[in-house]
Amino acid sequence: MRFTTLTKVTAGGSLPLLLSLARTFATPVYRAAFLAGASGSGVLAQLAAGPRDVDTLADALGITADRTLLRAWLDLGVQLGELSIDTGCYRLAGRTAKALARPRNDAVAAALEEVMRFHVPVLLNGPAMLGSSTRLTLADQDGAIIARSSRVIAAFVEEAVERVLDREAPLRLLEIGCGSGDYVRYAAELNPRLTALAVDYQPEVAAAAAADLTARGLSDRIEVRHADIRDLHLEPQFDLITMHNNIYYFPVDERIKLLEHARSLLAPGGRILLTTSCRGGNLSTEVLGLWFEFADFGGPLPDATELAGQLRQAGFEEVAVRRLIPGEQFCSFVAANPRPESRENRA
Ligand SMILES: C[S@@+](CC[C@H](N)C(=O)[O-])C[C@H]1O[C@@H](n2cnc3c(N)ncnc32)[C@H](O)[C@@H]1O
């Protein structure tokens, strides 16, 4: 390159800016996208079992289309340092790729997919969506990924369940938006006399939860129903209603009505346990909240004080808010459906 050319391209400062962008933004984004794709497609799991050539990998993944494209994609993974290739066989090379491939890190792998597939697009497309008056829909989400990634905070939700659950008495539980069904199962394991109805709005999510609970021999105690909770009209019968990580699937102005409806399903003295990320937490949960603000069905993450107030307006008593993760805004809300006598005493 001639010196004059070099001066020309560096003069305006755009080349250094481009190089700096490539290093600080583009490469990490490419790595994250590659890893999310490798995890979601099953490539990581395949390579965790051992080195694979393209054809073996393609067969295992059910890819019949042009395999040279799969090779090009894998070679990019090699260039990014996440894979290596030796005598035609690909293997895991990067520390993150190896860690994400471990089954015990499945929730983290799903969280990475959630960031790349849902969080990035809302940041990318937000202004354009406003310009074209379009909104995100439930179909823009993959319920299976969300159900898996929600497990990242499982230990904290389980602690909240432990605090509220009677371990011995027969107990009737309703779980709203059960996702994978893991928390209703956890409750059933804590109390062997518990029976439950678990509902989820997304058919594939409800079907997967039902299949998993059946495989674990719990179908006689836990019924999974594909239903919108707003359409579930039953006699007041539940001792406990749990609702984890889904209050933001409902618009703010519908939340009191939803909570009133939930209360109508509780027996007198029954309680609700709601866990949720609230506003003001880490960046990931803030972007999650933004996603739901851009959705045509949901709303922003709740403000903790506002949600406690909505529970009271819906007729609940003894509302207790607890921060579940130190330094974070992930909270549990426990509240009681008043017994008739407590109402009479107040009157
Ligand atoms: C983020 S996921 C959480 C799943 C699970 N509770 C957990 O914490 O792992 C929210 C779930 O709520 C369900 N959901 C949303 N709106 C619902 C409604 N109106 N009735 C029933 N389920 C609903 C969604 O289908 C989704 O599976």
Short mmCIF file of all heavy atoms in Angstrom, two decimals, residues 33 64 139 143 145 169 186 197 200 308:
data_model
loop_
_atom_site.label_atom_id
_atom_site.label_comp_id
_atom_site.label_asym_id
_atom_site.label_seq_id
_atom_site.Cartn_x
_atom_site.Cartn_y
_atom_site.Cartn_z
N ALA A 33 -23.14 -15.43 18.52
CA ALA A 33 -24.12 -15.96 17.56
C ALA A 33 -23.75 -17.39 17.17
O ALA A 33 -24.63 -18.28 17.09
CB ALA A 33 -24.18 -15.07 16.33
N THR A 64 -29.96 -32.75 5.44
CA THR A 64 -29.76 -33.43 4.15
C THR A 64 -29.32 -32.43 3.08
O THR A 64 -28.81 -32.81 2.04
CB THR A 64 -31.07 -34.10 3.70
OG1 THR A 64 -32.12 -33.14 3.85
CG2 THR A 64 -31.38 -35.34 4.52
N ALA A 139 -45.48 -15.47 18.89
CA ALA A 139 -44.83 -16.33 17.89
C ALA A 139 -43.38 -15.92 17.67
O ALA A 139 -42.59 -16.70 17.13
CB ALA A 139 -45.60 -16.27 16.58
N GLY A 143 -41.02 -20.74 22.97
CA GLY A 143 -41.38 -21.11 24.34
C GLY A 143 -40.43 -22.14 24.95
O GLY A 143 -40.15 -22.10 26.15
N ILE A 145 -37.18 -22.50 24.39
CA ILE A 145 -35.93 -21.84 24.82
C ILE A 145 -36.17 -21.07 26.11
O ILE A 145 -35.39 -21.13 27.06
CB ILE A 145 -35.39 -20.88 23.72
CG1 ILE A 145 -34.97 -21.68 22.49
CG2 ILE A 145 -34.21 -20.07 24.24
CD1 ILE A 145 -34.50 -20.82 21.32
N ALA A 169 -49.63 -31.57 54.78
CA ALA A 169 -51.08 -31.58 54.58
C ALA A 169 -51.43 -31.80 53.11
O ALA A 169 -50.68 -31.37 52.23
CB ALA A 169 -51.66 -30.25 55.06
N TYR A 186 -41.21 -29.80 41.47
CA TYR A 186 -40.46 -29.57 42.71
C TYR A 186 -41.42 -29.53 43.90
O TYR A 186 -41.18 -30.14 44.93
CB TYR A 186 -39.68 -28.25 42.60
CG TYR A 186 -38.73 -28.02 43.74
CD1 TYR A 186 -37.56 -28.76 43.86
CD2 TYR A 186 -39.00 -27.06 44.71
CE1 TYR A 186 -36.69 -28.56 44.91
CE2 TYR A 186 -38.13 -26.85 45.77
CZ TYR A 186 -36.97 -27.61 45.86
OH TYR A 186 -36.12 -27.40 46.92
N LEU A 197 -52.86 -28.74 39.30
CA LEU A 197 -53.24 -28.45 37.92
C LEU A 197 -52.23 -27.42 37.43
O LEU A 197 -52.04 -26.38 38.08
CB LEU A 197 -54.66 -27.88 37.86
CG LEU A 197 -55.12 -27.35 36.50
CD1 LEU A 197 -55.13 -28.46 35.45
CD2 LEU A 197 -56.51 -26.71 36.59
N ASP A 200 -50.52 -23.96 30.84
CA ASP A 200 -49.66 -23.10 30.03
C ASP A 200 -50.36 -22.79 28.72
O ASP A 200 -51.04 -23.63 28.14
CB ASP A 200 -48.28 -23.72 29.77
CG ASP A 200 -47.27 -22.65 29.40
OD1 ASP A 200 -47.32 -22.14 28.26
OD2 ASP A 200 -46.45 -22.27 30.26
N ALA A 308 -47.13 -5.06 44.41
CA ALA A 308 -47.69 -5.32 45.75
C ALA A 308 -49.04 -4.60 45.87
O ALA A 308 -50.02 -5.16 46.39
CB ALA A 308 -46.72 -4.86 46.82
#
